[in-house]
Amino acid sequence: MKLSEVTLSHHYADLGDAFGTPIEPTPFRHPRLIDTNPAVLSLLGIDPEEATNPAWAQLGSGARLFKGSRPFAMKYAGHQFGVYNPDLGDGRALLLGEIEQAGRRWELHLKGAGLTPYSRFGDGRAVLRSTLREYLAGEALSGLGIRSTRALCIVGSDEPVTREQIEQGAMLIRVAESHVRFGHFEYLFYTKQLQALQKLIGEICRRFVADSEGLSAGGQAEALLRFTTRRSAELVAGWQAEGFAHGVLNTDNMSIIGDTFDYGPYAFLDDYDPAYICNHSDHTGRYAFAQQPGVVLWNLNALAHALSGVVEVDTLRDCLEQFQPMVTDAYAARMRAKLGLATEEESDHKLCAALLQLLQHSGTDYALFFRTLSRYRGERPASALHERIPPAQHSELTQWLEHYDSRLARENSDAGRRSLAMLEANPKYTLRNYLAQKVIEAAEKGDYHPLRILRRLLQSPFEEHPQHEVWAIAPPESAKRIPLSCSS
């Protein structure tokens, strides 16, 4: 459809006053379109040729609304760094409405749209730096087959916004099937709005939870928790396998449908380091890379507590006990694919653990090692792999490869087909922080060409793209472990 034909509906806002506040956006005075995402246009059923329509500058900055739009600031609460905060909500974003396309409903959320009743001490704005990072992250994870919110377009301005320093203001239109967070349920539970809580449970179940129709209130809440537990387990398993650190896994940043949600100080690993902390405000390492599965389970416990008014405690406990086995199974499946193993053996976890220990000891680049391993065919010496590892660990690598060769021999798989399958599981292009910074610095000078190149590479990260090899190299030592704040 054409952009002029887009009409929004409002199932979430129509749930009632308990769920938020209608409010108009505060538009930029002189908006400029930075980029429109053709892949997301197609997802929404909008003609990709509309990507260059000048109306995006107005729509993406709140100066003009889509047909039928009724902007709405969502109210929620949440646990932040383990401490409950009741005063949360859409402080700088507005739910514009929903597009229905091919049996799915997609919500459009304008981020950076100005002050709302939930802005607290904030200014309701977003900066170009953080907006670009969120835009790229959604494409990076989606390209890796990990569920994520995405963004339809970015609009910039000359409006100054103060964070650690004065920066350029920007907005994006975020796209997700649902923007409901764990914190929505916590808010309704702790404020004792049981009827509204049951209404929200019913709404999410109708949309996403199979075979939930006709269940009692308790049955629906149990079905929802089981659904969210499974989706969250699959999500964090994908993060761990692909080396993604979220940085701020508060319950208000957890999607009820298991999407990666609310990008702040995230990072993909360069050198493999399980203890990596990407958020410089995380002084205790609560959200360190290796801690993510445990934190997600902690958040699921908080969600379960919010459902405890309608579900028996023993049932909640049974739901949560499924999480760890689900994470283990999903992670093992992803790692077998990365290692080129078509079958499953009990000892595979030892083979994988030994490799990760080697990568950690040697400070080896995570993504590049696996990409290089994808071309390994049992030759001796394995020079390309040894070039990835410091000389001090060469003997350790040789020993691991002997075990790997034995495992491959038991499968008796064709080396060529295995290599092709591994190249489709181990990306060549990864959203490294130094690449994001390169795009940000160019965009701040008005050059959006690097942004568009990186967006396209992240949307197809397993392809070679030989003309863009420079985007696939490891960062220099000085560009690793870039500290990031929550304003990122």
Side-chain angles (χ1 to χ4, degrees):
M1 61 183 156
K2 297 299 183 183
L3 185 55
S4 60
E5 298 172 332
V6 173
T7 302
L8 304 187
S9 57
H10 299 277
H11 294 79
Y12 185 84
D14 287 344
L15 290 175
D17 294 341
F19 296 90
T21 305
I23 190 167
E24 294 297 308
T26 304
F28 291 140
R29 289 184 294 274
H30 304 292
R32 58 176 177 272
L33 180 63
I34 291 175
D35 196 34
T36 306
N37 192 337
V40 176
L41 284 173
S42 295
L43 191 69
L44 300 178
I46 301 172
D47 187 343
E49 293 186 2
E50 293 281 6
T52 57
N53 192 319
W56 285 115
Q58 301 295 310
L59 291 167
S61 67
R64 170 181 163 187
L65 296 177
F66 292 94
K67 189 184 304 180
S69 180
R70 290 189 279 118
F72 187 81
M74 304 169 85
K75 171 60 184 165
Y76 46 86
H79 280 83
Q80 299 183 308
F81 286 87
V83 178
Y84 183 68
N85 185 344
D87 298 322
L88 302 177
D90 282 343
R92 58 173 177 166
L94 296 172
L95 184 63
L96 299 176
E98 305 137 10
I99 290 180
E100 300 194 30
Q101 166 63 18
R104 300 173 77 179
R105 189 190 308 161
W106 297 97
E107 296 178 351
L108 305 187
H109 209 238
L110 182 62
K111 192 167 182 178
L115 292 171
T116 79
Y118 315 117
S119 296
R120 296 183 291 158
F121 50 82
D123 58 16
R125 290 305 195 193
V127 297
L128 180 59
R129 168 176 52 94
S130 62
T131 304
L132 288 169
R133 283 177 52 81
E134 175 159 354
Y135 187 69
L136 291 170
E139 298 314 291
L141 285 175
S142 296
L144 294 170
I146 298 173
R147 286 189 298 271
S148 174
T149 62
R150 300 176 74 178
L152 178 55
C153 67
I154 300 180
V155 170
S157 75
D158 295 323
E159 183 172 315
V161 177
T162 302
R163 292 295 180 262
E164 287 87 352
Q165 58 188 4
I166 295 177
E167 303 185 52
Q168 299 173 29
M171 298 190 203
L172 63 74
I173 298 178
R174 181 167 58 190
V175 176
E177 287 190 273
S178 175
H179 283 79
V180 173
R181 312 155 187 253
F182 288 15
H184 282 82
F185 296 86
E186 291 186 280
Y187 164 67
L188 295 171
F189 171 76
Y190 285 110
T191 55
K192 303 185 186 307
Q193 299 183 73
L194 183 58
Q195 187 175 2
L197 177 64
Q198 291 176 339
K199 183 183 287 190
L200 183 58
I201 291 168
E203 170 68 10
I204 299 300
C205 283
R206 276 190 296 276
R207 290 191 60 196
F208 301 107
V209 184
D211 302 323
S212 62
E213 187 176 356
L215 294 177
S216 65
Q220 284 192 329
E222 176 188 346
L224 173 62
L225 183 58
R226 292 190 186 279
F227 165 82
T228 303
T229 298
R230 174 177 57 81
R231 299 268 288 203
S232 299
E234 294 167 352
L235 181 69
V236 75
W239 292 348
Q240 301 310 112
E242 300 303 335
F244 175 77
H246 184 284
V248 196
L249 284 174
N250 298 328
T251 59
D252 56 295
N253 293 338
M254 291 289 297
S255 161
I256 199 66
I257 63 170
D259 285 352
T260 313
F261 196 73
D262 259 13
Y263 293 98
Y266 70 82
F268 283 86
L269 297 181
D270 293 319
D271 297 345
Y272 182 71
D273 178 9
Y276 176 60
I277 302 168
C278 61
N279 181 354
H280 74 50
S281 301
D282 185 7
H283 304 299
T284 65
R286 177 182 176 87
Y287 300 138
F289 174 69
Q291 300 300 318
Q292 293 185 136
V295 170
V296 170
L297 179 56
W298 193 99
N299 291 338
L300 284 164
N301 270 276
L303 174 63
H305 184 64
L307 301 176
S308 62
V310 287
V311 183
E312 294 293 331
V313 172
D314 287 346
T315 301
L316 296 174
R317 186 177 295 116
D318 179 71
C319 293
L320 297 175
E321 285 174 351
Q322 309 307 310
F323 175 78
Q324 189 57 55
M326 289 175 179
V327 172
T328 299
D329 290 347
Y331 178 75
R334 277 191 171 266
M335 295 308 292
R336 282 196 301 273
K338 293 177 79 66
L339 291 168
L341 304 177
T343 61
E344 180 180 355
E345 289 189 4
E346 187 176 342
S347 62
D348 287 345
H349 74 281
K350 293 182 179 179
L351 182 71
C352 180
L355 176 58
L356 295 180
Q357 187 175 54
L358 168 60
L359 297 183
Q360 181 181 0
H361 289 167
S362 57
T364 296
D365 189 283
Y366 184 74
L368 289 180
F369 182 88
F370 274 100
R371 185 70 177 185
T372 304
L373 184 65
S374 300
R375 292 189 167 86
Y376 173 71
R377 300 192 178 203
E379 70 275 10
R380 289 288 187 270
S383 56
L385 287 170
H386 280 87
E387 289 173 3
R388 295 285 178 207
I389 300 284
Q393 277 76 39
H394 280 186
S395 61
E396 189 178 352
L397 173 59
T398 298
Q399 184 179 29
W400 182 83
L401 286 171
E402 290 174 356
H403 292 292
Y404 183 50
D405 287 339
S406 297
R407 175 67 179 86
L408 295 176
R410 290 197 296 275
E411 284 202 336
N412 193 29
S413 59
D414 177 79
R417 285 198 290 270
R418 181 180 69 249
S419 178
L420 289 175
M422 291 175 70
L423 289 170
E424 293 178 355
N426 294 305
K428 179 175 180 178
Y429 297 93
T430 301
L431 179 54
R432 302 175 186 272
N433 276 333
Y434 90 104
L435 295 179
Q437 188 60 32
K438 176 180 177 180
V439 166
I440 290 165
E441 291 174 1
E444 288 175 340
K445 297 174 183 175
D447 179 7
Y448 309 131
H449 184 61
L451 167 64
R452 293 174 185 133
I453 291 175
L454 186 54
R455 168 174 57 75
R456 290 193 293 269
L457 294 176
L458 295 173
Q459 288 171 337
S460 53
F462 305 105
E463 296 179 16
E464 286 297 324
H465 303 290
Q467 71 276 30
H468 294 303
E469 293 283 341
V470 67
W471 295 88
I473 61 177
E477 194 65 32
S478 61
K480 297 178 181 178
R481 294 175 290 277
I482 297 173
L484 299 164
S485 70
C486 287
S487 70
S488 299

